Amino acid sequence: MEQKNRAQLYTKLLKAKRNINPVKKDGLNPHFKSGYPTLNSMIEAVETALMDEGLLLTQPIQDGEQATFITDVETGESVSSFMKLPELDNPQKVKSCSTYYRRTTLSGLLGLRETDDDGNDAIPKRKPTLEPERFTN
């Protein structure tokens, strides 16, 4: 029965992934002058697709690790990703690190793609042609 539940979870994840668009880089890192997707934009990008398949996203801290779980509410089966949090005594640094790790574990777990929010999306993409390659002798 567990193998069937696992297969059901993966089927639901596959269906959800088909409805997840690339995550926009809506944050700006002033130090590196580069964009990054905020946690809010990542959750916004995935949550509806997951919930439509009966999958619940949770991201608790457990035993000093930032965890990300995606659970099939019907069967209780889940997939997870963990990152060990550094030992810090400053609550703001802990929260910042946790937020970064939440983004990282969620992105890794779902294999999220990122896209720039700088106009690149407005440029039409060239579709690959299906012409056979031509070889010259």
Side-chain angles (χ1 to χ4, degrees):
M1 185 64 151
E2 280 185 33
Q3 194 169 10
K4 180 182 176 190
N5 290 345
R6 195 60 147 178
Q8 180 178 328
L9 170 62
Y10 288 134
T11 299
K12 289 181 176 185
L13 281 169
L14 177 63
K15 288 178 183 177
K17 278 191 58 83
R18 288 182 177 140
N19 293 308
I20 297 173
N21 292 319
V23 181
K24 294 208 182 277
K25 294 180 182 179
D26 61 339
L28 179 64
N29 181 330
H31 181 72
F32 292 109
K33 296 183 175 120
S34 62
Y36 67 92
T38 62
L39 179 59
N40 285 343
S41 71
M42 292 179 84
I43 291 174
E44 209 172 282
V46 305
E47 198 163 49
T48 299
L50 292 173
M51 291 189 341
D52 285 350
E53 296 302 327
L55 300 172
L56 177 65
L57 170 66
T58 55
Q59 294 189 296
I61 294 175
Q62 291 186 333
D63 301 321
E65 293 185 320
Q66 179 59 62
T68 294
F69 293 97
I70 298 175
T71 305
D72 182 341
V73 297
E74 187 179 333
T75 66
E77 281 285 326
S78 66
V79 291
S80 57
S81 180
F82 296 86
M83 287 184 78
K84 184 167 178 51
L85 290 164
E87 293 184 27
L88 302 169
D89 58 1
N90 180 319
Q92 286 81 14
K93 287 182 180 179
V94 171
K95 183 175 180 182
S96 177
C97 189
S98 174
T99 300
Y100 183 85
Y101 284 15
R102 286 175 67 192
R103 288 189 349 245
T104 303
T105 56
L106 178 58
S107 179
L109 194 56
L110 288 173
L112 296 178
R113 298 167 288 140
E114 298 174 3
T115 185
D116 289 325
D117 191 18
D118 62 1
N120 288 339
D121 292 331
I123 300 169
K125 306 283 189 275
R126 268 187 57 197
K127 291 184 180 179
T129 61
L130 297 178
E131 295 177 21
E133 291 184 24
R134 293 189 172 98
F135 297 97
T136 59
N137 291 343

